[in-house]
Amino acid sequence: VPPLPSPLPGQLVPLLPFPLTDLILPGETKSLHLYEPRFIKLFEFSKNICHGMISMAYLTGEDSSIVQVSSLCEIASSRTLKDLDGTPGIFLTIRCVARSRIKTVVEPVADGRGAEWMLGVVEESDDECPINLELPLLVGEGYTKWDPADPYK
């Protein structure tokens, strides 16, 4: 397991690839069924080394580029099952706890049997409050209260 590079702020977590259309926001959950050996290894690494943290790495475009903004998630629950043929699988629910930025992607981790998955250093992203707090008030100044009796007014 590669150590966390010391000059980089953030935390080392597994990156679970998803299409950009599967984006989840803080507070939302997503249920998953992991059955590929590489994702089962990713899950085990997350539980044993990263305190149950995973980052959703969003892929976009024809070349499957990784978007820098990601969802930092915790494993909320998990259950290990075996299919009828004995193949292991894991049902889990992840909960997004923060927006984050992928600072760097570490070389794919191989399990020795050809299954690879990614690790990345991620850093939480805070929503920034505007410096001038009067600006949001000015933007909303021209609006009137909605009247259900005359919704098109």
Side-chain angles (χ1 to χ4, degrees):
V1 175
L4 177 65
S6 57
L8 296 171
Q11 59 185 3
L12 185 69
V13 294
L15 302 177
L16 194 56
F18 281 94
L20 190 56
T21 55
D22 284 358
L23 184 130
I24 63 173
L25 301 172
E28 294 182 329
T29 60
K30 184 169 191 62
S31 296
L32 305 170
H33 175 213
L34 304 179
Y35 54 88
E36 290 183 40
R38 63 185 175 141
F39 294 131
I40 291 173
K41 291 287 186 190
L42 178 147
F43 168 81
E44 291 168 353
F45 183 87
S46 172
K47 289 290 276 190
N48 297 329
I49 307 295
C50 300
H51 309 285
M53 300 303 289
I54 291 175
S55 184
M56 292 179 69
Y58 298 112
L59 306 176
T60 184
E62 295 291 323
D63 61 351
S64 294
S65 299
I66 296 176
V67 177
Q68 189 178 17
V69 175
S70 66
S71 300
L72 185 60
C73 301
E74 66 181 352
I75 297 171
S77 65
S78 64
R79 188 174 59 175
T80 303
L81 299 171
K82 288 193 176 189
D83 290 341
L84 294 175
D85 65 356
T87 306
I90 300 171
F91 287 98
L92 69 145
T93 300
I94 56 175
R95 178 183 306 111
C96 180
V97 295
R99 285 186 318 118
S100 58
R101 283 194 185 285
I102 299 173
K103 303 299 271 181
T104 188
V105 175
V106 180
E107 289 296 316
V109 176
D111 69 355
R113 295 177 299 226
E116 292 187 342
W117 46 276
M118 297 180 295
L119 283 172
V121 176
V122 300
E123 187 174 62
E124 286 187 43
S125 292
D126 292 327
D127 292 324
E128 295 181 18
C129 184
I131 296 171
N132 181 354
L133 292 179
E134 293 177 7
L135 182 61
L137 297 175
L138 292 174
V139 170
E141 227 172 46
Y143 295 94
T144 58
K145 188 173 178 184
W146 182 70
D147 181 4
D150 189 8
Y152 301 105
K153 178 169 88 174

mmCIF file of all heavy atoms in Angstrom, residues 37-38 108-117:
data_model
loop_
_atom_site.group_PDB
_atom_site.id
_atom_site.type_symbol
_atom_site.label_atom_id
_atom_site.label_comp_id
_atom_site.label_asym_id
_atom_site.label_seq_id
_atom_site.Cartn_x
_atom_site.Cartn_y
_atom_site.Cartn_z
ATOM 1 N N PRO A 37 -13.815 -8.564 -8.451
ATOM 2 C CA PRO A 37 -12.759 -8.725 -7.437
ATOM 3 C C PRO A 37 -12.025 -7.418 -7.113
ATOM 4 O O PRO A 37 -11.704 -7.154 -5.954
ATOM 5 C CB PRO A 37 -11.807 -9.745 -8.071
ATOM 6 C CG PRO A 37 -12.668 -10.534 -9.001
ATOM 7 C CD PRO A 37 -13.692 -9.555 -9.519
ATOM 8 N N ARG A 38 -11.786 -6.571 -8.117
ATOM 9 C CA ARG A 38 -11.057 -5.330 -7.858
ATOM 10 C C ARG A 38 -11.849 -4.392 -6.957
ATOM 11 O O ARG A 38 -11.276 -3.714 -6.103
ATOM 12 C CB ARG A 38 -10.666 -4.626 -9.157
ATOM 13 C CG ARG A 38 -11.841 -4.170 -9.988
ATOM 14 C CD ARG A 38 -11.375 -3.601 -11.304
ATOM 15 N NE ARG A 38 -12.495 -3.263 -12.149
ATOM 16 C CZ ARG A 38 -12.533 -2.195 -12.907
ATOM 17 N NH1 ARG A 38 -11.512 -1.362 -12.939
ATOM 18 N NH2 ARG A 38 -13.576 -1.963 -13.660
ATOM 19 N N PRO A 108 -2.544 2.943 -10.154
ATOM 20 C CA PRO A 108 -3.508 1.900 -9.793
ATOM 21 C C PRO A 108 -2.871 0.829 -8.913
ATOM 22 O O PRO A 108 -1.701 0.481 -9.085
ATOM 23 C CB PRO A 108 -3.919 1.308 -11.143
ATOM 24 C CG PRO A 108 -3.625 2.383 -12.129
ATOM 25 C CD PRO A 108 -2.433 3.127 -11.583
ATOM 26 N N VAL A 109 -3.645 0.361 -7.946
ATOM 27 C CA VAL A 109 -3.186 -0.689 -7.036
ATOM 28 C C VAL A 109 -3.574 -2.023 -7.653
ATOM 29 O O VAL A 109 -4.730 -2.214 -8.051
ATOM 30 C CB VAL A 109 -3.861 -0.525 -5.651
ATOM 31 C CG1 VAL A 109 -3.460 -1.657 -4.730
ATOM 32 C CG2 VAL A 109 -3.501 0.826 -5.058
ATOM 33 N N ALA A 110 -2.612 -2.934 -7.753
ATOM 34 C CA ALA A 110 -2.881 -4.257 -8.328
ATOM 35 C C ALA A 110 -2.897 -5.287 -7.207
ATOM 36 O O ALA A 110 -2.134 -5.193 -6.250
ATOM 37 C CB ALA A 110 -1.817 -4.613 -9.355
ATOM 38 N N ASP A 111 -3.771 -6.264 -7.319
ATOM 39 C CA ASP A 111 -3.865 -7.297 -6.287
ATOM 40 C C ASP A 111 -3.024 -8.529 -6.621
ATOM 41 O O ASP A 111 -3.119 -9.541 -5.958
ATOM 42 C CB ASP A 111 -5.322 -7.688 -6.047
ATOM 43 C CG ASP A 111 -5.933 -8.446 -7.215
ATOM 44 O OD1 ASP A 111 -5.259 -8.594 -8.255
ATOM 45 O OD2 ASP A 111 -7.083 -8.879 -7.080
ATOM 46 N N GLY A 112 -2.206 -8.454 -7.658
ATOM 47 C CA GLY A 112 -1.362 -9.579 -8.036
ATOM 48 C C GLY A 112 -2.036 -10.526 -9.018
ATOM 49 O O GLY A 112 -1.403 -11.404 -9.561
ATOM 50 N N ARG A 113 -3.334 -10.364 -9.239
ATOM 51 C CA ARG A 113 -4.061 -11.231 -10.178
ATOM 52 C C ARG A 113 -4.647 -10.424 -11.319
ATOM 53 O O ARG A 113 -5.580 -10.861 -11.976
ATOM 54 C CB ARG A 113 -5.161 -11.976 -9.432
ATOM 55 C CG ARG A 113 -4.623 -12.951 -8.400
ATOM 56 C CD ARG A 113 -5.750 -13.592 -7.669
ATOM 57 N NE ARG A 113 -6.499 -12.545 -6.986
ATOM 58 C CZ ARG A 113 -6.896 -12.614 -5.733
ATOM 59 N NH1 ARG A 113 -6.649 -13.668 -5.031
ATOM 60 N NH2 ARG A 113 -7.567 -11.628 -5.181
ATOM 61 N N GLY A 114 -4.145 -9.207 -11.514
ATOM 62 C CA GLY A 114 -4.603 -8.392 -12.625
ATOM 63 C C GLY A 114 -5.732 -7.433 -12.297
ATOM 64 O O GLY A 114 -6.095 -6.614 -13.122
ATOM 65 N N ALA A 115 -6.315 -7.528 -11.101
ATOM 66 C CA ALA A 115 -7.404 -6.613 -10.727
ATOM 67 C C ALA A 115 -6.793 -5.322 -10.206
ATOM 68 O O ALA A 115 -5.973 -5.332 -9.295
ATOM 69 C CB ALA A 115 -8.296 -7.248 -9.667
ATOM 70 N N GLU A 116 -7.163 -4.216 -10.815
ATOM 71 C CA GLU A 116 -6.620 -2.923 -10.415
ATOM 72 C C GLU A 116 -7.727 -1.977 -10.002
ATOM 73 O O GLU A 116 -8.845 -2.050 -10.508
ATOM 74 C CB GLU A 116 -5.844 -2.287 -11.569
ATOM 75 C CG GLU A 116 -4.579 -3.002 -11.939
ATOM 76 C CD GLU A 116 -3.773 -2.240 -12.979
ATOM 77 O OE1 GLU A 116 -4.328 -1.354 -13.649
ATOM 78 O OE2 GLU A 116 -2.589 -2.539 -13.118
ATOM 79 N N TRP A 117 -7.403 -1.077 -9.070
ATOM 80 C CA TRP A 117 -8.303 -0.005 -8.677
ATOM 81 C C TRP A 117 -7.460 1.197 -8.307
ATOM 82 O O TRP A 117 -6.246 1.100 -8.125
ATOM 83 C CB TRP A 117 -9.232 -0.441 -7.551
ATOM 84 C CG TRP A 117 -8.565 -1.175 -6.426
ATOM 85 C CD1 TRP A 117 -8.275 -2.509 -6.380
ATOM 86 C CD2 TRP A 117 -8.092 -0.619 -5.206
ATOM 87 N NE1 TRP A 117 -7.660 -2.817 -5.211
ATOM 88 C CE2 TRP A 117 -7.535 -1.672 -4.457
ATOM 89 C CE3 TRP A 117 -8.089 0.652 -4.665
ATOM 90 C CZ2 TRP A 117 -6.982 -1.490 -3.195
ATOM 91 C CZ3 TRP A 117 -7.543 0.836 -3.416
ATOM 92 C CH2 TRP A 117 -6.995 -0.228 -2.696
#
